[in-house]
Amino acid sequence: IGEQVTLKCSFKSSSPITESLTVDWTYRPLMGGRMETIFHYQSVPYPTSTGRFKDRISWAGNVAKGDASIALQSPEMSDNGTFICSVKNPPDV
C-alpha cells in the first residue's frame, strides 16, 4: 500500500515484433462488476484518462524483450481485483 508496484506480464511470439503489436490491460474489481480497460499500448503507451487508475498507471515494459508490464502508483486496498494482460502480435494470435 502506498508504494509503486509492477504488474508483470511477459509474452513470446512466433512473429517478429512490429508496430502492429498491441497490449491491453483490463481490470475487474474483487467484488465483481464490469471489466474496464486501464491501459493500452501500440508503439506508444496510452494509460487510461478516466476511472480509478487515472494518472496512476505507467508503462514498465519492453516489447522487444517480451515484457508488457505496467507500474501502478500508490496502490490501495480498494484496487484489489483481477488484472488481465492481453498481447496481440499479428499475425500471431
Side-chain angles (χ1 to χ4, degrees):
I1 294 179
E3 297 181 9
Q4 176 176 303
V5 63
T6 301
L7 302 177
K8 300 274 190 192
C9 176
S10 58
F11 66 93
K12 289 185 175 17
S13 179
S14 59
S15 299
I17 306 298
T18 69
E19 304 80 43
S20 299
L21 179 136
T22 60
V23 176
D24 285 295
W25 278 89
T26 53
Y27 165 80
R28 182 180 350 208
L30 188 63
M31 297 303 168
R34 67 177 190 82
M35 299 275 292
E36 64 177 292
T37 298
I38 58 170
F39 189 88
H40 176 75
Y41 175 94
Q42 185 168 5
S43 297
V44 295
Y46 296 95
T48 186
S49 57
T50 60
R52 71 188 308 136
F53 297 108
K54 179 183 188 312
D55 299 328
R56 294 201 296 141
I57 292 185
S58 57
W59 178 243
N62 180 341
V63 293
K65 294 182 177 177
D67 184 358
S69 302
I70 57 174
L72 174 61
Q73 307 288 335
S74 303
E76 302 165 0
M77 285 302 292
S78 60
D79 293 333
N80 205 351
T82 303
F83 293 83
I84 299 169
C85 170
S86 174
V87 179
K88 296 184 179 90
N89 185 36
D92 188 5
V93 294

